[in-house]
Amino acid sequence: MLDALKAFFSSRALFFKERYNRVLPFGDVIVDRWEKAKLLGFGEGTSIYDSSLVLGDVTVGEQTWIGPSTILDGSGGGLSIGSHCSISAGVQIYTHDTVNRSLTGGNAPIAQSPTKIGNNCYLGPNSIVAKGVTIGDNVVIGANSLVMIDIPSNSTAYGTPARIVGDSYKYQVNE
């Protein structure tokens, strides 16, 4: 049985290497990203890597790409991600934190607040979005950013902590 599994993995790994020039972890080789998104109730055409962790109440619109090794935490009041978004590798989006609970020796409750990502957003690799944040439509978040404030539509923000540095119009292509 183990030999058959190894052979299957090797053949799939070779397929991805030859067709897409990529080598994926075991789970991402055997799990179809679009089928996983359907199983989770995400919108049509959305994909999510098997290496992504999804907790609680998470909704995602259509044609959104959720990269590998992401954390989507909807356990603290719900996480909503719009359509046509790119959630890059390593992005973490939260709806709760345990800061006060930890500092009070467990006496304070876990802080919870819903988090919302609008439509047509790009969240750069390894960005973190804190609980309760709302990111509007057409927003670019730069790589390695810590987003702890609301980001209005049509903005570009980056940094730790993230700050709004301009608008996102320069990224939009007019045809």
Side-chain angles (χ1 to χ4, degrees):
M1 179 67 142
L2 185 56
D3 288 336
L5 187 58
K6 286 180 182 178
F8 173 75
F9 175 73
S10 294
S11 69
R12 293 297 294 164
L14 182 60
F15 168 79
F16 280 101
K17 176 66 176 150
E18 289 175 349
R19 186 159 185 187
Y20 302 109
N21 194 26
R22 63 177 60 179
V23 177
L24 300 171
F26 180 77
D28 289 323
V29 167
I30 64 170
V31 173
D32 182 282
R33 294 183 288 149
W34 293 268
E35 289 297 320
K36 181 176 179 179
K38 283 181 188 176
L39 175 74
L40 292 167
F42 295 171
E44 184 68 32
T46 289
S47 70
I48 181 169
Y49 279 78
D50 187 59
S51 59
S52 296
L53 176 62
V54 179
L55 304 168
D57 180 20
V58 177
T59 60
V60 180
E62 298 178 351
Q63 302 295 324
T64 289
W65 177 79
I66 301 168
S69 304
T70 55
I71 298 174
L72 306 180
D73 166 33
S75 66
L79 168 60
S80 172
I81 299 172
S83 296
H84 302 281
C85 294
S86 290
I87 310 299
S88 299
V91 168
Q92 301 173 38
I93 307 172
Y94 294 99
T95 60
H96 84 281
D97 72 47
T98 58
V99 175
N100 288 335
R101 181 169 188 205
S102 297
L103 294 175
T104 62
N107 292 321
I110 294 172
Q112 301 179 335
S113 186
T115 301
K116 183 179 187 304
I117 311 297
N119 296 312
N120 312 317
C121 291
Y122 172 83
L123 277 64
N126 301 312
S127 296
I128 298 171
V129 180
K131 73 166 179 7
V133 167
T134 295
I135 294 176
D137 297 333
N138 308 309
V139 169
V140 174
I141 302 294
N144 298 308
S145 295
L146 173 60
V147 184
M148 299 175 64
I149 60 170
D150 291 350
I151 307 296
S153 293
N154 304 308
S155 297
T156 297
Y158 60 79
T160 302
R163 298 284 182 241
I164 299 166
V165 296
D167 62 48
S168 61
Y169 294 118
K170 66 182 173 184
Y171 296 103
Q172 297 175 19
V173 177
N174 295 323
E175 295 185 37

